[in-house]
Amino acid sequence: MITAIVLIKTSVDRIPEIAEAIAALDSVSEVFSVTGTYDLIAMVRVSKHDDLAEVIPGRISKIPGVEGTDTHVAFRTYSQHDLEAAFSIGLDA
């Protein structure tokens, strides 16, 4: 499974409608409305790299109100359990 984190710039007055349209796409697992430079972040999960081209420029970028995207492909996924172990300093409460 290939995971891409897609940072999305949108028309500010249409964020909820755009987020719902993106969330309705098959390969999109979550869409977050966020603060900062970008308006939305979408988590895209596909089985092969070629599918990213179909989903991101082929579908997400064509949704009315999407002004631009910045895509980051994940190398490795860490579960919450792994993160807790990595940042634990071994102190008992």
Side-chain angles (χ1 to χ4, degrees):
M1 181 70 57
I2 298 160
T3 301
I5 299 93
V6 185
L7 309 174
I8 305 164
K9 197 84 163 121
T10 68
S11 299
V12 184
D13 60 334
R14 299 199 52 235
I15 291 173
E17 296 85 4
I18 296 166
E20 289 176 13
I22 294 169
L25 298 174
D26 288 337
S27 300
V28 176
S29 59
E30 298 100 8
V31 177
F32 303 95
S33 175
V34 297
T35 63
T37 305
Y38 293 91
D39 303 302
L40 300 171
I41 296 177
M43 302 299 292
V44 175
R45 292 184 170 85
V46 295
S47 58
K48 54 189 193 287
H49 282 95
D50 289 345
D51 294 338
L52 290 174
E54 179 184 326
V55 175
I56 301 164
R59 294 188 179 138
I60 291 175
S61 294
K62 292 182 179 176
I63 292 173
V66 170
E67 297 174 354
T69 63
D70 186 5
T71 302
H72 301 263
V73 177
F75 291 131
R76 185 174 294 156
T77 301
Y78 297 91
S79 71
Q80 184 63 33
H81 181 272
D82 292 340
L83 291 175
E84 288 172 6
F87 289 104
S88 172
I89 58 173
L91 297 176
D92 293 344

